């Protein structure tokens, strides 16, 4: 059932993600600051015309604002505990990522590829994010490692967000990931202790999962086009989830 107060909370959340004040958002739409305040407080709703403008300015779909999107959720099919750390085996549906993706094949050697990845500025990333159409909610910044366990020339590295459509601006890079099985782990203290740290980075879990967890529990890397993901749950990129694409060893 549609909830007017929850609608207002979503508007406020999307406004803050775009770094707009209520006044700035009101000016872009052509309404009063008080109107935006009433929307966010759940006192009233924008008309159809302003709802469409609101979605365009905040770069989300109308369905996202109204919370009527039918999105396929990830499905946890098993949880494996090591010590006090929890690793979830999840089924992730087909996913579309968009943003900035740098491919190793476009550079003469691995060093120049790595330099290009490290040199991409936050402004360049944000410029791409600002152009995205129909970003999936909630919005997470994601580092996409493509084929990093394979030959260097097949590699790519992306700074992306999940979107609902491949129809993105020409200067935005898109990667369509097939549905797959993943190991998912979070960078809390219990998991970090497995790599001998009080707090670890997401990427540090990849080696542990590949070298220790997977052999011990009958998994190997997936060969279906699914890739490693660092899914950050804070804007500071201090914590988040490691996603490792896998398949069960049956032979």
């Amino acid at each position: 059932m549609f909830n007017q107060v929850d609608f207002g909370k979503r508007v406020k959340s999307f406004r803050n993600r775009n770094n707009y004040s209520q006044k700035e958002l009101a000016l872009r739409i052509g309404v009063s600051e008080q109107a935006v305040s009433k929307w966010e407080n759940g006192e009233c709703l924008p008309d159809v015309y302003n709802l469409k403008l609101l979605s365009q300015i905040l770069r989300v779909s109308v369905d996202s604002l109204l919370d009527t999107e039918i999105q396929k959720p990830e499905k946890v099919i098993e949880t494996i505990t090591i010590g006090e750390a929890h690793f979830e085996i999840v089924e992730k549906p087909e996913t579309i990522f968009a943003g900035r993706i740098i491919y190793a094949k476009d550079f003469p050697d691995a060093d120049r590829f790595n330099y290009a990845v490290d040199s991409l500025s936050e402004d360049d990333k944000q410029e791409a994010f600002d152009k995205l159409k129909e970003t999936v909610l909630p919005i997470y910044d994601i580092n996409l490692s493509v084929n990093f366990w394979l030959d260097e020339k097949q590699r790519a590295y992306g700074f992306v967000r999940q979107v609902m459509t491949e129809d993105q601006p020409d200067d935005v890079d898109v990667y369509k990931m097939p549905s797959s099985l993943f190991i998912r782990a979070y960078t809390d203290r219990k998991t970090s202790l497995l790599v001998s740290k009080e707090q670890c980075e997401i990427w540090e879990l990849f080696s542990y999962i590949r070298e220790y967890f997977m052999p011990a529990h009958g998994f190997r890397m997936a060969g279906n086009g699914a890739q490693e993901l660092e899914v950050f749950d804070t804007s500071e990129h201090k914590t988040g989830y490691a996603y490792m694409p896998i398949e069960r060893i049956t032979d």
Side-chain angles (χ1 to χ4, degrees), residues 109-172:
D109 53 53
D111 287 340
R112 296 192 189 185
F113 164 65
N114 292 330
Y115 178 78
V117 171
D118 293 338
S119 299
L120 194 68
S121 71
E122 293 302 319
D123 287 343
D124 288 336
K125 299 172 193 176
Q126 191 59 52
E127 182 182 1
F129 293 155
D130 288 344
K131 297 175 182 177
L132 299 184
K133 298 179 182 178
E134 297 187 37
T135 306
V136 170
L137 307 176
I139 297 173
Y140 295 119
D141 289 341
I142 299 170
N143 287 357
L144 171 69
S145 301
V146 179
N147 295 335
F148 263 66
W149 61 91
L150 300 176
D151 180 80
E152 288 181 350
K153 283 297 181 182
Q154 298 183 51
R155 294 179 180 176
Y157 199 82
F159 303 93
V160 298
R161 289 176 178 172
Q162 186 175 342
V163 294
M164 295 188 66
T165 176
E166 294 179 82
D167 180 22
Q168 299 293 331
D170 290 341
D171 56 347
V172 169

Side-chain angles (χ1 to χ4, degrees), residues 44-55:
C44 65
L45 296 171
D47 60 28
V48 173
Y49 176 76
N50 285 331
L51 181 63
K52 185 175 181 180
L53 285 178
L54 193 61
S55 73

Side-chain angles (χ1 to χ4, degrees), residues 1-248:
M1 181 181 297
F2 178 77
N3 185 301
Q4 193 164 299
V5 173
D6 288 343
F7 169 83
K9 291 178 180 177
R10 287 192 292 276
V11 172
K12 183 177 181 179
S13 176
F14 301 144
R15 173 175 63 78
N16 288 334
R17 287 185 182 277
N18 283 275
N19 296 315
Y20 293 144
S21 65
Q22 286 187 342
K23 183 176 181 179
E24 288 171 327
L25 181 57
L27 287 172
R28 287 174 177 269
I29 296 175
V31 298
S32 67
E33 186 176 348
Q34 289 77 15
V36 173
S37 178
K38 288 182 178 180
W39 297 342
E40 293 187 355
N41 291 329
E43 297 176 24
C44 65
L45 296 171
D47 60 28
V48 173
Y49 176 76
N50 285 331
L51 181 63
K52 185 175 181 180
L53 285 178
L54 193 61
S55 73
Q56 292 173 344
I57 292 166
L58 297 179
R59 300 183 177 88
V60 295
S61 67
V62 170
D63 283 336
S64 297
L65 288 171
L66 298 177
D67 196 27
T68 58
E69 290 180 325
I70 301 175
Q71 298 180 12
K72 297 178 182 177
E74 297 174 358
K75 180 182 179 182
V76 179
I77 60 174
E78 184 180 358
T79 300
I80 299 173
T81 301
I82 300 178
E84 295 184 89
H86 301 297
F87 294 80
E88 295 174 315
I89 310 303
V90 300
E91 291 178 345
K92 189 175 179 63
E94 182 180 83
T95 309
I96 303 170
F97 297 111
R100 284 283 178 264
I101 303 176
I102 300 172
Y103 289 88
K105 63 180 177 59
D106 296 329
F107 297 87
D109 53 53
D111 287 340
R112 296 192 189 185
F113 164 65
N114 292 330
Y115 178 78
V117 171
D118 293 338
S119 299
L120 194 68
S121 71
E122 293 302 319
D123 287 343
D124 288 336
K125 299 172 193 176
Q126 191 59 52
E127 182 182 1
F129 293 155
D130 288 344
K131 297 175 182 177
L132 299 184
K133 298 179 182 178
E134 297 187 37
T135 306
V136 170
L137 307 176
I139 297 173
Y140 295 119
D141 289 341
I142 299 170
N143 287 357
L144 171 69
S145 301
V146 179
N147 295 335
F148 263 66
W149 61 91
L150 300 176
D151 180 80
E152 288 181 350
K153 283 297 181 182
Q154 298 183 51
R155 294 179 180 176
Y157 199 82
F159 303 93
V160 298
R161 289 176 178 172
Q162 186 175 342
V163 294
M164 295 188 66
T165 176
E166 294 179 82
D167 180 22
Q168 299 293 331
D170 290 341
D171 56 347
V172 169
D173 302 311
V174 176
Y175 188 90
K176 188 174 182 179
M177 183 178 292
S179 59
S180 185
L181 203 64
F182 282 83
I183 294 172
R184 181 173 70 188
Y186 188 69
T187 56
D188 56 18
R189 182 176 181 275
K190 295 174 182 178
T191 306
S192 298
L193 290 175
L194 295 176
V195 294
S196 303
K197 289 193 171 185
E198 288 290 321
Q199 179 66 58
C200 70
E201 301 286 344
I202 297 176
W203 61 266
E204 292 178 287
L205 296 178
F206 289 153
S207 293
Y208 176 84
I209 293 171
R210 188 183 297 116
E211 295 174 15
Y212 300 100
F213 183 93
M214 289 168 57
H217 296 279
F219 296 102
R220 61 189 173 202
M221 296 298 295
N224 60 357
Q227 306 295 341
E228 294 172 330
L229 305 171
E230 299 173 68
V231 181
F232 299 100
D233 62 352
T234 64
S235 58
E236 295 83 11
H237 296 177
K238 296 295 185 181
T239 58
Y241 292 90
Y243 280 75
M244 181 75 76
I246 54 168
E247 57 188 18
R248 295 186 186 275

